[in-house]
Every structure is written in structure tokens, then in C-alpha cells.
Amino acid sequence: MLPFQLIIRSLSKAYGEMSVWQDLNLTLDSGCVYCLMGASGIGKTTLFRILLGLEQPDHGSFSLEPSPGYGLTAVFQENRLCESFTPIDNVRLAAGKILSRRQIAEELCRLLPSESLTRPVSTLSGGMKRRVAIVRSLLAPSCGILMDEPFTGLDDATRQQVIDYVKEKTAGRLLIVATHQEEDVDSLGGVLLRPFDGSSPSGNSGRPSLSAPSGSSGRPSF
């Protein structure tokens, strides 16, 4: 995949008379990890929903330039799995025919016990369901992944195992992680972004251009 940028131009969103944010501008590079931080309710999830085409901004636009040929996938705060399906079948719904059932099983076994792969997701623990949702997003064809508090509910050892897997699978793609944990910035080797309060970016890689609240929108697929 050739390098590309996610460019957000003067994006504004409000619900009735309540403004979420105004004139949000960001330029983010593929191949980089960005950790999006801010207080609860400040608009992180709303931004993700707009980038996925699930909501429309009131003003502004965004685009992937040059077009990478794929859209974005996501891990939401909720797992959004098909509870009666197995982990393999849940992943296959997103991955399509690109990967065989055997290949999907091999990937899932990196984060889950093999005996869990043929059970309905409804029988799995919350942490196991979370790992299925994460693998699903990473194996779906995409140019980038939006993760909304993806490591919630994972113990320290599992959290690090999942982070290592995420870093491996997102190499060359764009990864944006909404988190409340500043240690995730170091663990992911990412750039800390606080675009809603006007703070400058800081971190280990990438040089985003941003300005905080002061045509045709690109609409990545989900």
C-alpha cells in the first residue's frame, strides 16, 4: 500500500444547540500510530463515527489522499459481535474470502485458546470477546483502523500481548486509538493527540499537522 494521509478540514459537529467541536483540522500519516485523548464526552467517538460515515459533520470535510483503495475499519467501545456465531465466523464476516477458515483460526489462536474458536461468542468472557473484535478489525481489508478504548477489560499481560499483535498487524496502515491511558502512547509507540483542547502533538513518530476548535467529504467504508 502506498503512503497516504487522512486530511480533516474545518470539521464541525453539534447536536442541537450543543457544539461538540468546531473547525477541527488534522493531517495524519499512514504508517503511524496516533493516540487520541480527551475528557469523556469531548467528541472522540463522534469523530470516529464521522470518519466511518455513520454520522455527517455539520461543516467541513475529510479525505484520504491519495486514495489507498480501501476504507477504514473500527473497534467500537461495544464489541458488536454476532453472539450466536463462533469467533472464526465473526472474523470471516469482515475478512470475506481473503483468508481461509484455517488462516483465521491461526490468527485467533495468537490471542485466544484454541478450544474457544468453535464455541458461540455468547459463551466467551468479556475479555475474550474483546480480543475477537480486535482481530476482526485487523483482518478486514482496510487502509486504517479506528480503535475506541480497545484495551478496556484486559489484564496487564493480555493487554501487552494484544498491543504487540495490533502493532504488528497495523504496520504500514493508519492507526488511531482513543484512550484514557497515557501509557498506551509509549506501549504503542504512538503520537499523543489532544486536538479538542488545542495541545500540540507529542510522541515517538509521525508529524501530524493540527489546529483545534477555534467539497465533498471523503467517506471511508466500514
Side-chain angles (χ1 to χ4, degrees), residues 7-14 19-27 47 50 57-61 194-198 209-214:
I7 302 176
I8 298 171
R9 304 176 181 87
S10 301
L11 213 61
S12 299
K13 181 64 178 179
S19 175
V20 182
W21 25 254
Q22 294 181 342
D23 296 325
L24 181 67
N25 294 280
L26 282 168
T27 300
L47 175 60
I50 289 173
D58 295 325
H59 302 286
S61 65
R194 295 183 182 271
F196 308 110
D197 62 13
S209 167
L210 76 160
S211 60
S214 50

Side-chain angles (χ1 to χ4, degrees), residues 101-145:
R101 292 182 65 87
R102 179 178 177 179
Q103 289 172 310
I104 292 171
E106 289 173 349
E107 293 294 333
L108 285 165
C109 277
R110 295 182 60 183
L111 298 181
L112 291 162
S114 59
E115 60 85 17
S116 69
L117 304 190
T118 55
R119 290 162 45 190
V121 163
S122 61
T123 68
L124 304 184
S125 69
M128 294 169 75
K129 290 180 182 180
R130 197 61 175 158
R131 281 171 272 170
V132 175
I134 288 170
V135 172
R136 179 184 61 182
S137 73
L138 295 173
L139 296 188
S142 73
C143 67
I145 301 95

